[in-house]
Amino acid sequence: MLREQARLRAAVLARDTEPWQEEPSLAGLRRVGGVDLSYPKGDETRACASLVVLSFPELQVLYEDCRMVAVSTPYVAGFLAFREVPVLVEAVRRLQQEEPALQPQVLLVDGNGLLHPRGFGVACHLGVLTGLPCIGVAKNLLQVDGLVKDELHREQIRSLRREGDTFPLTGSSGRVLGMVLRSSKNSSRPLYISVGHKVCLETAVRVVRSCCRYRIPEPIRQADIRSREYIRKQLCSPLEAASSGPQSSAREAELGD
DNA sequence: GCGACAG
DNA sequence: ATCTTGTCGC
């Protein structure tokens, strides 16, 4: 997996590539996508993956795809992409095939982009494999390249008084790996924004800010709501499967031999 | 052994 | 990620 990350990392573009990104007002941006996965509590093999596309700047849901999928790899810190990206790439392909006109101009991804142990988080990974501009949006700081959640960091967070306030995350390497953003006037908990693919950090922060009705940007929030609701329902309704039992592969495997 | 550990 | 209720505030 290390080899694979290094190979794909070479294809990451950390700068803007589209006309609307040159516009401080984001004029020309019409569709923003969001992805998220939710997991049933005990099950390590399945998940509900959802991809939504919202209109911009209205933030109305134009497209939604939410379904149970099989996940192959377990979650390992630093390798989240290997667990979540495969099914998300499938979701993007379905969208491109079934509703090409609703293709998002940028995708908000749960997790980090360049703010990663090897500079290639899930937002970069998904971006490279889909070719879509991606932005990493993490709810927690991944301590990397000298960045730590010490008292100084907490003080910097306290200094973010108004929504939209930010401060850069500069690693000991001198590189700015991401931006801490206060996305809501209500919550003092910030968001950790980083470049995923084909978007510069400044544009990334601008987009996320413009998508926040609450702390979590609307595209990701809508994807999150849908996937966890799907899990919640199917977790509370194994009752109605009792009437006509067509599924009995487990019993066949037992008695068959 | 101790602490970290996106989702 | 998931386990979990009420509660305080606008």
Side-chain angles (χ1 to χ4, degrees):
Chain A
M1 295 203 284
L2 285 170
R3 206 61 181 172
E4 181 74 346
Q5 267 186 352
R7 185 175 69 80
L8 296 174
R9 184 177 56 161
V12 171
L13 292 182
R15 19 166 268 270
D16 291 342
T17 60
E18 302 296 322
W20 63 265
Q21 298 171 319
E22 307 300 331
E23 213 63 46
S25 63
L26 297 179
L29 178 58
R30 306 294 301 283
R31 295 174 308 282
V32 181
V35 293
D36 185 58
L37 271 73
S38 289
Y39 303 89
K41 54 178 179 180
D43 198 337
E44 280 297 299
T45 69
R46 296 186 307 158
C48 178
S50 59
L51 162 62
V52 300
V53 178
L54 276 59
S55 62
F56 188 90
E58 301 81 7
L59 305 180
Q60 296 303 303
V61 178
L62 302 175
Y63 175 91
E64 56 180 311
D65 176 25
C66 181
R67 60 176 65 192
M68 287 302 296
V69 295
V71 288
S72 50
T73 314
Y75 169 68
V76 179
F79 299 94
L80 172 65
F82 290 87
R83 178 171 172 78
E84 303 196 335
V85 163
V87 297
L88 293 178
V89 168
E90 286 306 305
V92 170
R93 286 190 177 140
R94 278 197 297 276
L95 164 60
Q96 294 177 330
Q97 183 175 344
E98 296 165 21
E99 292 289 354
L102 294 183
Q103 167 115 296
Q105 291 161 290
V106 60
L107 211 47
L108 301 191
V109 184
D110 241 323
N112 298 296
L114 296 184
L115 179 54
H116 177 274
R118 290 163 298 283
F120 196 71
V122 63
C124 298
H125 205 129
L126 183 60
V128 169
L129 293 191
T130 61
L132 291 173
C134 287
I135 296 172
V137 181
K139 295 180 286 297
N140 295 290
L141 173 65
L142 184 52
Q143 302 188 161
V144 66
D145 191 24
L147 297 174
V148 290
K149 300 187 258 191
D150 54 11
E151 190 47 45
L152 169 59
H153 182 70
R154 297 180 184 185
E155 175 49 40
Q156 291 179 301
I157 289 178
R158 280 193 292 274
S159 74
L160 303 178
R161 299 304 177 72
R162 312 175 15 164
E163 57 182 320
D165 286 352
T166 63
F167 70 84
L169 287 171
T170 306
S172 50
S173 64
R175 292 270 182 70
V176 175
L177 302 178
M179 205 71 106
V180 182
L181 165 71
R182 174 159 183 158
S183 57
S184 161
K185 64 180 178 183
N186 299 313
S187 177
S188 56
R189 283 191 63 185
L191 250 31
Y192 297 87
I193 311 302
S194 61
V195 168
H197 188 48
K198 294 181 172 181
V199 190
C200 73
L201 187 55
E202 293 63 38
T203 299
V205 170
R206 203 175 290 147
V207 170
V208 173
R209 281 187 55 173
S210 305
C211 287
C212 286
R213 283 221 259 264
Y214 305 103
R215 183 171 87 107
I216 305 301
E218 215 52 21
I220 289 180
R221 183 167 166 272
Q222 289 303 324
D224 180 71
I225 289 174
R226 285 164 173 71
S227 57
R228 52 198 309 167
E229 179 68 3
Y230 194 106
I231 293 288
R232 191 183 68 80
K233 283 183 178 176
Q234 85 135 48
L235 219 55
C236 296
S237 62
L239 301 177
E240 50 187 307
S243 55
S244 61
Q247 278 79 27
S248 57
S249 56
R251 180 153 42 85
E252 286 176 359
E254 234 179 6
L255 304 176
D257 287 351

mmCIF file of all heavy atoms in Angstrom, chain A residues 185-230:
data_model
loop_
_atom_site.group_PDB
_atom_site.id
_atom_site.type_symbol
_atom_site.label_atom_id
_atom_site.label_comp_id
_atom_site.label_asym_id
_atom_site.label_seq_id
_atom_site.Cartn_x
_atom_site.Cartn_y
_atom_site.Cartn_z
ATOM 1 N N LYS A 185 -20.590 29.743 13.545
ATOM 2 C CA LYS A 185 -20.501 30.726 14.626
ATOM 3 C C LYS A 185 -20.871 30.074 15.945
ATOM 4 O O LYS A 185 -20.495 30.536 17.010
ATOM 5 C CB LYS A 185 -21.431 31.911 14.354
ATOM 6 C CG LYS A 185 -22.891 31.568 14.320
ATOM 7 C CD LYS A 185 -23.745 32.810 14.030
ATOM 8 C CE LYS A 185 -25.218 32.437 13.960
ATOM 9 N NZ LYS A 185 -26.046 33.616 13.602
ATOM 10 N N ASN A 186 -21.610 28.980 15.852
ATOM 11 C CA ASN A 186 -22.043 28.275 17.057
ATOM 12 C C ASN A 186 -20.998 27.326 17.633
ATOM 13 O O ASN A 186 -20.768 27.308 18.832
ATOM 14 C CB ASN A 186 -23.324 27.488 16.765
ATOM 15 C CG ASN A 186 -24.457 28.393 16.337
ATOM 16 O OD1 ASN A 186 -24.706 29.417 16.970
ATOM 17 N ND2 ASN A 186 -25.119 28.046 15.262
ATOM 18 N N SER A 187 -20.411 26.525 16.777
ATOM 19 C CA SER A 187 -19.426 25.566 17.258
ATOM 20 C C SER A 187 -18.013 26.127 17.219
ATOM 21 O O SER A 187 -17.578 26.674 16.209
ATOM 22 C CB SER A 187 -19.507 24.289 16.420
ATOM 23 O OG SER A 187 -18.501 23.383 16.842
ATOM 24 N N SER A 188 -17.297 25.963 18.307
ATOM 25 C CA SER A 188 -15.916 26.446 18.362
ATOM 26 C C SER A 188 -14.969 25.381 17.806
ATOM 27 O O SER A 188 -13.790 25.620 17.618
ATOM 28 C CB SER A 188 -15.542 26.775 19.802
ATOM 29 O OG SER A 188 -15.738 25.645 20.634
ATOM 30 N N ARG A 189 -15.535 24.194 17.576
ATOM 31 C CA ARG A 189 -14.708 23.125 16.995
ATOM 32 C C ARG A 189 -14.472 23.427 15.527
ATOM 33 O O ARG A 189 -15.421 23.570 14.746
ATOM 34 C CB ARG A 189 -15.403 21.765 17.122
ATOM 35 C CG ARG A 189 -15.348 21.159 18.505
ATOM 36 C CD ARG A 189 -15.814 19.706 18.460
ATOM 37 N NE ARG A 189 -14.924 18.890 17.620
ATOM 38 C CZ ARG A 189 -15.138 17.619 17.322
ATOM 39 N NH1 ARG A 189 -16.227 17.032 17.783
ATOM 40 N NH2 ARG A 189 -14.293 16.954 16.568
ATOM 41 N N PRO A 190 -13.213 23.506 15.132
ATOM 42 C CA PRO A 190 -12.904 23.870 13.748
ATOM 43 C C PRO A 190 -12.883 22.676 12.803
ATOM 44 O O PRO A 190 -13.127 21.530 13.198
ATOM 45 C CB PRO A 190 -11.517 24.476 13.878
ATOM 46 C CG PRO A 190 -10.881 23.614 14.923
ATOM 47 C CD PRO A 190 -11.986 23.358 15.926
ATOM 48 N N LEU A 191 -12.593 22.973 11.561
ATOM 49 C CA LEU A 191 -12.463 21.965 10.522
ATOM 50 C C LEU A 191 -11.021 22.057 10.029
ATOM 51 O O LEU A 191 -10.411 23.125 10.074
ATOM 52 C CB LEU A 191 -13.402 22.326 9.360
ATOM 53 C CG LEU A 191 -14.650 21.492 9.064
ATOM 54 C CD1 LEU A 191 -15.247 20.875 10.302
ATOM 55 C CD2 LEU A 191 -15.668 22.350 8.317
ATOM 56 N N TYR A 192 -10.481 20.939 9.593
ATOM 57 C CA TYR A 192 -9.115 20.914 9.072
ATOM 58 C C TYR A 192 -9.184 20.696 7.570
ATOM 59 O O TYR A 192 -9.469 19.594 7.102
ATOM 60 C CB TYR A 192 -8.312 19.823 9.779
ATOM 61 C CG TYR A 192 -8.185 20.086 11.263
ATOM 62 C CD1 TYR A 192 -9.160 19.645 12.161
ATOM 63 C CD2 TYR A 192 -7.123 20.845 11.767
ATOM 64 C CE1 TYR A 192 -9.081 19.930 13.520
ATOM 65 C CE2 TYR A 192 -7.029 21.134 13.123
ATOM 66 C CZ TYR A 192 -8.018 20.674 13.994
ATOM 67 O OH TYR A 192 -7.938 20.976 15.342
ATOM 68 N N ILE A 193 -8.938 21.774 6.834
ATOM 69 C CA ILE A 193 -9.057 21.737 5.386
ATOM 70 C C ILE A 193 -7.701 21.523 4.728
ATOM 71 O O ILE A 193 -6.712 22.150 5.114
ATOM 72 C CB ILE A 193 -9.619 23.088 4.853
ATOM 73 C CG1 ILE A 193 -10.860 23.506 5.638
ATOM 74 C CG2 ILE A 193 -9.914 22.988 3.364
ATOM 75 C CD1 ILE A 193 -11.971 22.518 5.623
ATOM 76 N N SER A 194 -7.664 20.645 3.745
ATOM 77 C CA SER A 194 -6.405 20.482 3.013
ATOM 78 C C SER A 194 -6.668 20.152 1.550
ATOM 79 O O SER A 194 -7.756 19.705 1.179
ATOM 80 C CB SER A 194 -5.532 19.386 3.659
ATOM 81 O OG SER A 194 -6.175 18.133 3.657
ATOM 82 N N VAL A 195 -5.672 20.418 0.755
ATOM 83 C CA VAL A 195 -5.767 20.192 -0.685
ATOM 84 C C VAL A 195 -5.897 18.713 -1.007
ATOM 85 O O VAL A 195 -5.187 17.874 -0.445
ATOM 86 C CB VAL A 195 -4.483 20.722 -1.375
ATOM 87 C CG1 VAL A 195 -4.413 20.239 -2.818
ATOM 88 C CG2 VAL A 195 -4.451 22.247 -1.318
ATOM 89 N N GLY A 196 -6.837 18.401 -1.886
ATOM 90 C CA GLY A 196 -6.990 17.021 -2.303
ATOM 91 C C GLY A 196 -6.410 16.853 -3.702
ATOM 92 O O GLY A 196 -5.392 16.188 -3.904
ATOM 93 N N HIS A 197 -7.028 17.513 -4.655
ATOM 94 C CA HIS A 197 -6.585 17.378 -6.047
ATOM 95 C C HIS A 197 -7.150 18.524 -6.898
ATOM 96 O O HIS A 197 -8.330 18.852 -6.792
ATOM 97 C CB HIS A 197 -7.078 16.036 -6.591
ATOM 98 C CG HIS A 197 -6.537 15.667 -7.944
ATOM 99 N ND1 HIS A 197 -5.184 15.743 -8.257
ATOM 100 C CD2 HIS A 197 -7.145 15.209 -9.064
ATOM 101 C CE1 HIS A 197 -5.008 15.329 -9.513
ATOM 102 N NE2 HIS A 197 -6.191 15.016 -10.023
ATOM 103 N N LYS A 198 -6.294 19.116 -7.706
ATOM 104 C CA LYS A 198 -6.721 20.164 -8.645
ATOM 105 C C LYS A 198 -7.355 21.397 -7.998
ATOM 106 O O LYS A 198 -8.162 22.074 -8.642
ATOM 107 C CB LYS A 198 -7.705 19.585 -9.675
ATOM 108 C CG LYS A 198 -7.094 18.563 -10.620
ATOM 109 C CD LYS A 198 -8.143 18.080 -11.619
ATOM 110 C CE LYS A 198 -7.520 17.196 -12.697
ATOM 111 N NZ LYS A 198 -8.544 16.745 -13.678
ATOM 112 N N VAL A 199 -7.038 21.640 -6.733
ATOM 113 C CA VAL A 199 -7.563 22.818 -6.044
ATOM 114 C C VAL A 199 -6.477 23.347 -5.114
ATOM 115 O O VAL A 199 -5.810 22.565 -4.454
ATOM 116 C CB VAL A 199 -8.780 22.464 -5.151
ATOM 117 C CG1 VAL A 199 -9.455 23.718 -4.655
ATOM 118 C CG2 VAL A 199 -9.773 21.606 -5.914
ATOM 119 N N CYS A 200 -6.296 24.661 -5.076
ATOM 120 C CA CYS A 200 -5.293 25.197 -4.151
ATOM 121 C C CYS A 200 -5.969 25.386 -2.797
ATOM 122 O O CYS A 200 -7.197 25.375 -2.693
ATOM 123 C CB CYS A 200 -4.713 26.516 -4.669
ATOM 124 S SG CYS A 200 -5.850 27.912 -4.548
ATOM 125 N N LEU A 201 -5.178 25.536 -1.757
ATOM 126 C CA LEU A 201 -5.708 25.627 -0.399
ATOM 127 C C LEU A 201 -6.649 26.819 -0.212
ATOM 128 O O LEU A 201 -7.682 26.711 0.460
ATOM 129 C CB LEU A 201 -4.548 25.700 0.595
ATOM 130 C CG LEU A 201 -4.908 25.638 2.081
ATOM 131 C CD1 LEU A 201 -5.737 24.396 2.382
ATOM 132 C CD2 LEU A 201 -3.646 25.663 2.920
ATOM 133 N N GLU A 202 -6.304 27.940 -0.799
ATOM 134 C CA GLU A 202 -7.138 29.132 -0.655
ATOM 135 C C GLU A 202 -8.536 28.891 -1.240
ATOM 136 O O GLU A 202 -9.553 29.227 -0.636
ATOM 137 C CB GLU A 202 -6.490 30.333 -1.351
ATOM 138 C CG GLU A 202 -5.188 30.811 -0.710
ATOM 139 C CD GLU A 202 -4.065 29.762 -0.752
ATOM 140 O OE1 GLU A 202 -3.946 29.045 -1.782
ATOM 141 O OE2 GLU A 202 -3.341 29.651 0.250
ATOM 142 N N THR A 203 -8.570 28.315 -2.423
ATOM 143 C CA THR A 203 -9.856 28.014 -3.059
ATOM 144 C C THR A 203 -10.609 26.979 -2.238
ATOM 145 O O THR A 203 -11.825 27.073 -2.062
ATOM 146 C CB THR A 203 -9.638 27.478 -4.487
ATOM 147 O OG1 THR A 203 -8.977 28.473 -5.265
ATOM 148 C CG2 THR A 203 -10.976 27.151 -5.151
ATOM 149 N N ALA A 204 -9.884 26.012 -1.724
ATOM 150 C CA ALA A 204 -10.510 24.950 -0.928
ATOM 151 C C ALA A 204 -11.241 25.538 0.270
ATOM 152 O O ALA A 204 -12.400 25.200 0.531
ATOM 153 C CB ALA A 204 -9.447 23.960 -0.463
ATOM 154 N N VAL A 205 -10.575 26.434 0.978
ATOM 155 C CA VAL A 205 -11.189 27.057 2.152
ATOM 156 C C VAL A 205 -12.395 27.899 1.748
ATOM 157 O O VAL A 205 -13.442 27.882 2.401
ATOM 158 C CB VAL A 205 -10.164 27.953 2.897
ATOM 159 C CG1 VAL A 205 -10.854 28.781 3.970
ATOM 160 C CG2 VAL A 205 -9.078 27.086 3.514
ATOM 161 N N ARG A 206 -12.250 28.611 0.651
ATOM 162 C CA ARG A 206 -13.329 29.455 0.146
ATOM 163 C C ARG A 206 -14.578 28.608 -0.161
ATOM 164 O O ARG A 206 -15.694 28.970 0.192
ATOM 165 C CB ARG A 206 -12.834 30.139 -1.137
ATOM 166 C CG ARG A 206 -13.545 31.415 -1.498
ATOM 167 C CD ARG A 206 -12.865 32.051 -2.709
ATOM 168 N NE ARG A 206 -11.547 32.578 -2.408
ATOM 169 C CZ ARG A 206 -10.530 32.597 -3.273
ATOM 170 N NH1 ARG A 206 -10.691 32.103 -4.489
ATOM 171 N NH2 ARG A 206 -9.377 33.117 -2.925
ATOM 172 N N VAL A 207 -14.362 27.471 -0.805
ATOM 173 C CA VAL A 207 -15.479 26.592 -1.159
ATOM 174 C C VAL A 207 -16.158 26.025 0.095
ATOM 175 O O VAL A 207 -17.378 26.062 0.222
ATOM 176 C CB VAL A 207 -15.010 25.417 -2.052
ATOM 177 C CG1 VAL A 207 -16.119 24.382 -2.211
ATOM 178 C CG2 VAL A 207 -14.580 25.934 -3.413
ATOM 179 N N VAL A 208 -15.345 25.525 1.004
ATOM 180 C CA VAL A 208 -15.913 24.937 2.221
ATOM 181 C C VAL A 208 -16.708 25.980 3.010
ATOM 182 O O VAL A 208 -17.831 25.721 3.456
ATOM 183 C CB VAL A 208 -14.806 24.335 3.114
ATOM 184 C CG1 VAL A 208 -15.389 23.887 4.450
ATOM 185 C CG2 VAL A 208 -14.151 23.147 2.420
ATOM 186 N N ARG A 209 -16.141 27.157 3.146
ATOM 187 C CA ARG A 209 -16.835 28.242 3.856
ATOM 188 C C ARG A 209 -18.198 28.494 3.239
ATOM 189 O O ARG A 209 -19.203 28.638 3.941
ATOM 190 C CB ARG A 209 -16.030 29.534 3.762
ATOM 191 C CG ARG A 209 -14.878 29.630 4.711
ATOM 192 C CD ARG A 209 -14.259 31.020 4.648
ATOM 193 N NE ARG A 209 -15.247 32.071 4.900
ATOM 194 C CZ ARG A 209 -14.946 33.349 5.027
ATOM 195 N NH1 ARG A 209 -13.690 33.746 4.904
ATOM 196 N NH2 ARG A 209 -15.891 34.239 5.262
ATOM 197 N N SER A 210 -18.224 28.531 1.914
ATOM 198 C CA SER A 210 -19.463 28.834 1.196
ATOM 199 C C SER A 210 -20.488 27.708 1.261
ATOM 200 O O SER A 210 -21.627 27.890 0.861
ATOM 201 C CB SER A 210 -19.148 29.144 -0.265
ATOM 202 O OG SER A 210 -18.183 30.186 -0.347
ATOM 203 N N CYS A 211 -20.059 26.546 1.724
ATOM 204 C CA CYS A 211 -20.971 25.401 1.795
ATOM 205 C C CYS A 211 -21.469 25.128 3.211
ATOM 206 O O CYS A 211 -22.187 24.155 3.447
ATOM 207 C CB CYS A 211 -20.280 24.147 1.274
ATOM 208 S SG CYS A 211 -20.070 24.112 -0.511
ATOM 209 N N CYS A 212 -21.053 25.971 4.178
ATOM 210 C CA CYS A 212 -21.413 25.693 5.568
ATOM 211 C C CYS A 212 -22.651 26.414 6.089
ATOM 212 O O CYS A 212 -22.656 27.629 6.263
ATOM 213 C CB CYS A 212 -20.225 25.992 6.472
ATOM 214 S SG CYS A 212 -18.919 24.761 6.364
ATOM 215 N N ARG A 213 -23.709 25.616 6.342
ATOM 216 C CA ARG A 213 -24.886 26.128 7.033
ATOM 217 C C ARG A 213 -24.676 25.815 8.521
ATOM 218 O O ARG A 213 -25.116 26.543 9.394
ATOM 219 C CB ARG A 213 -26.151 25.424 6.532
ATOM 220 C CG ARG A 213 -26.641 25.908 5.177
ATOM 221 C CD ARG A 213 -28.164 26.039 5.171
ATOM 222 N NE ARG A 213 -28.814 24.914 4.519
ATOM 223 C CZ ARG A 213 -29.204 24.914 3.234
ATOM 224 N NH1 ARG A 213 -28.980 25.983 2.492
ATOM 225 N NH2 ARG A 213 -29.807 23.883 2.719
ATOM 226 N N TYR A 214 -24.029 24.686 8.748
ATOM 227 C CA TYR A 214 -23.674 24.251 10.096
ATOM 228 C C TYR A 214 -22.174 23.955 10.076
ATOM 229 O O TYR A 214 -21.513 24.223 9.085
ATOM 230 C CB TYR A 214 -24.466 22.995 10.498
ATOM 231 C CG TYR A 214 -25.942 23.191 10.378
ATOM 232 C CD1 TYR A 214 -26.647 22.653 9.291
ATOM 233 C CD2 TYR A 214 -26.645 23.946 11.320
ATOM 234 C CE1 TYR A 214 -28.018 22.857 9.170
ATOM 235 C CE2 TYR A 214 -28.010 24.154 11.203
ATOM 236 C CZ TYR A 214 -28.691 23.609 10.117
ATOM 237 O OH TYR A 214 -30.029 23.818 9.994
ATOM 238 N N ARG A 215 -21.669 23.342 11.134
ATOM 239 C CA ARG A 215 -20.219 23.114 11.164
ATOM 240 C C ARG A 215 -19.746 22.254 10.003
ATOM 241 O O ARG A 215 -18.721 22.520 9.378
ATOM 242 C CB ARG A 215 -19.788 22.453 12.483
ATOM 243 C CG ARG A 215 -18.258 22.287 12.551
ATOM 244 C CD ARG A 215 -17.761 21.831 13.909
ATOM 245 N NE ARG A 215 -17.779 20.390 14.034
ATOM 246 C CZ ARG A 215 -16.696 19.605 14.017
ATOM 247 N NH1 ARG A 215 -15.496 20.139 13.854
ATOM 248 N NH2 ARG A 215 -16.805 18.314 14.152
ATOM 249 N N ILE A 216 -20.465 21.198 9.723
ATOM 250 C CA ILE A 216 -20.094 20.302 8.625
ATOM 251 C C ILE A 216 -20.646 20.849 7.317
ATOM 252 O O ILE A 216 -21.841 21.114 7.217
ATOM 253 C CB ILE A 216 -20.670 18.889 8.872
ATOM 254 C CG1 ILE A 216 -20.223 18.374 10.239
ATOM 255 C CG2 ILE A 216 -20.213 17.945 7.762
ATOM 256 C CD1 ILE A 216 -18.729 18.283 10.425
ATOM 257 N N PRO A 217 -19.798 21.026 6.311
ATOM 258 C CA PRO A 217 -20.266 21.552 5.030
ATOM 259 C C PRO A 217 -21.408 20.707 4.475
ATOM 260 O O PRO A 217 -21.380 19.474 4.542
ATOM 261 C CB PRO A 217 -19.020 21.547 4.144
ATOM 262 C CG PRO A 217 -18.069 20.626 4.822
ATOM 263 C CD PRO A 217 -18.355 20.754 6.279
ATOM 264 N N GLU A 218 -22.404 21.377 3.944
ATOM 265 C CA GLU A 218 -23.643 20.736 3.494
ATOM 266 C C GLU A 218 -23.481 19.504 2.605
ATOM 267 O O GLU A 218 -24.191 18.512 2.807
ATOM 268 C CB GLU A 218 -24.517 21.784 2.806
ATOM 269 C CG GLU A 218 -25.989 21.603 3.024
ATOM 270 C CD GLU A 218 -26.403 21.470 4.490
ATOM 271 O OE1 GLU A 218 -25.658 21.886 5.386
ATOM 272 O OE2 GLU A 218 -27.494 20.921 4.721
ATOM 273 N N PRO A 219 -22.584 19.512 1.623
ATOM 274 C CA PRO A 219 -22.448 18.309 0.785
ATOM 275 C C PRO A 219 -22.093 17.061 1.608
ATOM 276 O O PRO A 219 -22.696 16.003 1.449
ATOM 277 C CB PRO A 219 -21.326 18.685 -0.184
ATOM 278 C CG PRO A 219 -21.461 20.174 -0.303
ATOM 279 C CD PRO A 219 -21.756 20.612 1.105
ATOM 280 N N ILE A 220 -21.129 17.193 2.502
ATOM 281 C CA ILE A 220 -20.733 16.058 3.334
ATOM 282 C C ILE A 220 -21.825 15.742 4.338
ATOM 283 O O ILE A 220 -22.135 14.576 4.603
ATOM 284 C CB ILE A 220 -19.408 16.365 4.080
ATOM 285 C CG1 ILE A 220 -18.251 16.377 3.091
ATOM 286 C CG2 ILE A 220 -19.168 15.339 5.181
ATOM 287 C CD1 ILE A 220 -16.906 16.666 3.718
ATOM 288 N N ARG A 221 -22.431 16.759 4.880
ATOM 289 C CA ARG A 221 -23.494 16.563 5.865
ATOM 290 C C ARG A 221 -24.674 15.824 5.252
ATOM 291 O O ARG A 221 -25.237 14.912 5.881
ATOM 292 C CB ARG A 221 -23.940 17.929 6.409
ATOM 293 C CG ARG A 221 -24.986 17.851 7.475
ATOM 294 C CD ARG A 221 -25.163 19.172 8.193
ATOM 295 N NE ARG A 221 -26.394 19.129 8.976
ATOM 296 C CZ ARG A 221 -27.575 19.470 8.500
ATOM 297 N NH1 ARG A 221 -27.682 19.914 7.253
ATOM 298 N NH2 ARG A 221 -28.643 19.366 9.252
ATOM 299 N N GLN A 222 -25.070 16.183 4.060
ATOM 300 C CA GLN A 222 -26.181 15.504 3.405
ATOM 301 C C GLN A 222 -25.837 14.056 3.074
ATOM 302 O O GLN A 222 -26.675 13.155 3.187
ATOM 303 C CB GLN A 222 -26.586 16.253 2.123
ATOM 304 C CG GLN A 222 -27.275 17.587 2.379
ATOM 305 C CD GLN A 222 -28.521 17.454 3.232
ATOM 306 O OE1 GLN A 222 -29.276 16.487 3.138
ATOM 307 N NE2 GLN A 222 -28.731 18.437 4.112
ATOM 308 N N ALA A 223 -24.600 13.833 2.661
ATOM 309 C CA ALA A 223 -24.160 12.465 2.360
ATOM 310 C C ALA A 223 -24.162 11.657 3.657
ATOM 311 O O ALA A 223 -24.622 10.510 3.702
ATOM 312 C CB ALA A 223 -22.764 12.487 1.749
ATOM 313 N N ASP A 224 -23.689 12.272 4.717
ATOM 314 C CA ASP A 224 -23.617 11.629 6.028
ATOM 315 C C ASP A 224 -25.005 11.271 6.553
ATOM 316 O O ASP A 224 -25.241 10.153 7.002
ATOM 317 C CB ASP A 224 -22.909 12.570 7.010
ATOM 318 C CG ASP A 224 -22.796 11.960 8.395
ATOM 319 O OD1 ASP A 224 -22.020 11.018 8.552
ATOM 320 O OD2 ASP A 224 -23.505 12.414 9.310
ATOM 321 N N ILE A 225 -25.920 12.207 6.469
ATOM 322 C CA ILE A 225 -27.290 11.978 6.930
ATOM 323 C C ILE A 225 -27.905 10.782 6.212
ATOM 324 O O ILE A 225 -28.509 9.912 6.841
ATOM 325 C CB ILE A 225 -28.163 13.230 6.668
ATOM 326 C CG1 ILE A 225 -27.750 14.355 7.613
ATOM 327 C CG2 ILE A 225 -29.640 12.902 6.825
ATOM 328 C CD1 ILE A 225 -28.439 15.678 7.352
ATOM 329 N N ARG A 226 -27.728 10.743 4.894
ATOM 330 C CA ARG A 226 -28.309 9.661 4.108
ATOM 331 C C ARG A 226 -27.697 8.299 4.408
ATOM 332 O O ARG A 226 -28.417 7.297 4.545
ATOM 333 C CB ARG A 226 -28.186 9.986 2.618
ATOM 334 C CG ARG A 226 -29.179 11.031 2.174
ATOM 335 C CD ARG A 226 -28.827 11.650 0.831
ATOM 336 N NE ARG A 226 -29.891 12.535 0.377
ATOM 337 C CZ ARG A 226 -30.162 13.708 0.933
ATOM 338 N NH1 ARG A 226 -29.439 14.146 1.945
ATOM 339 N NH2 ARG A 226 -31.157 14.448 0.472
ATOM 340 N N SER A 227 -26.401 8.235 4.517
ATOM 341 C CA SER A 227 -25.770 6.933 4.759
ATOM 342 C C SER A 227 -26.066 6.386 6.152
ATOM 343 O O SER A 227 -26.335 5.196 6.322
ATOM 344 C CB SER A 227 -24.263 7.007 4.519
ATOM 345 O OG SER A 227 -23.678 7.991 5.329
ATOM 346 N N ARG A 228 -26.084 7.251 7.147
ATOM 347 C CA ARG A 228 -26.345 6.731 8.496
ATOM 348 C C ARG A 228 -27.807 6.393 8.709
ATOM 349 O O ARG A 228 -28.151 5.510 9.497
ATOM 350 C CB ARG A 228 -25.809 7.670 9.565
ATOM 351 C CG ARG A 228 -26.255 9.107 9.437
ATOM 352 C CD ARG A 228 -25.341 10.002 10.249
ATOM 353 N NE ARG A 228 -25.173 9.534 11.630
ATOM 354 C CZ ARG A 228 -24.250 9.991 12.461
ATOM 355 N NH1 ARG A 228 -23.391 10.894 12.036
ATOM 356 N NH2 ARG A 228 -24.172 9.550 13.689
ATOM 357 N N GLU A 229 -28.667 7.115 7.989
ATOM 358 C CA GLU A 229 -30.093 6.813 8.078
ATOM 359 C C GLU A 229 -30.352 5.439 7.448
ATOM 360 O O GLU A 229 -31.146 4.649 7.951
ATOM 361 C CB GLU A 229 -30.905 7.897 7.348
ATOM 362 C CG GLU A 229 -32.406 7.677 7.360
ATOM 363 C CD GLU A 229 -33.009 7.817 8.756
ATOM 364 O OE1 GLU A 229 -32.243 8.147 9.701
ATOM 365 O OE2 GLU A 229 -34.197 7.582 8.914
ATOM 366 N N TYR A 230 -29.663 5.173 6.350
ATOM 367 C CA TYR A 230 -29.783 3.894 5.664
ATOM 368 C C TYR A 230 -29.361 2.765 6.600
ATOM 369 O O TYR A 230 -30.025 1.739 6.720
ATOM 370 C CB TYR A 230 -28.889 3.904 4.417
ATOM 371 C CG TYR A 230 -29.174 2.787 3.444
ATOM 372 C CD1 TYR A 230 -29.841 3.044 2.244
ATOM 373 C CD2 TYR A 230 -28.764 1.479 3.710
ATOM 374 C CE1 TYR A 230 -30.106 2.024 1.340
ATOM 375 C CE2 TYR A 230 -29.021 0.459 2.814
ATOM 376 C CZ TYR A 230 -29.685 0.731 1.628
ATOM 377 O OH TYR A 230 -29.948 -0.277 0.742
#
